[in-house]
């Protein structure tokens, strides 16, 4: 049986943790002048992937 290919874009976006996957927040790359300091600070952290999206990521990353 041949190995399944991992989705390249998913490899770049998600990291495996003990409890699932983590991902970087969106809205952090440009047009930052109109966003408050508090909002930008809270967007810095990595977030856990929602449980409803977990099966899709597992399918894209079979060996992660």
């Amino acid at each position: 049986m041949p190995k399944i290919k991992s989705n390249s874009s998913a490899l770049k976006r998600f990291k495996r943790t003990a409890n699932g996957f983590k991902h970087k927040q969106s809205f952090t790359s440009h047009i930052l002048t109109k966003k408050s300091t508090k909002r930008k600070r809270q967007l810095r952290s990595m977030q856990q992937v929602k449980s409803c999206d977990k099966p899709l990521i597992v399918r894209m990353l079979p060996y992660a």
Side-chain angles (χ1 to χ4, degrees):
M1 216 38 212
K3 289 207 280 187
I4 303 166
K5 280 191 176 182
S6 294
N7 185 300
S8 298
S9 61
L11 274 171
K12 296 168 194 172
R13 286 170 174 80
F14 303 107
K15 298 286 177 242
R16 190 113 164 98
T17 63
N19 301 321
F21 294 90
K22 61 183 181 176
H23 69 95
K24 193 174 181 294
Q25 292 267 46
S26 55
F27 304 106
T28 58
S29 57
H30 60 96
I31 315 174
L32 297 171
T33 50
K34 61 176 81 170
K35 293 171 188 153
S36 68
T37 309
K38 180 183 177 180
R39 183 175 167 195
K40 288 185 279 190
R41 185 174 62 247
Q42 289 174 338
L43 287 170
R44 259 185 238 155
S45 62
M46 300 281 271
Q47 295 290 315
Q48 234 7 60
V49 169
K50 301 286 185 211
S51 58
C52 59
D53 295 324
K54 210 167 160 183
L56 298 169
I57 295 166
V58 170
R59 188 175 170 190
M60 287 190 282
L61 303 172
Y63 305 108

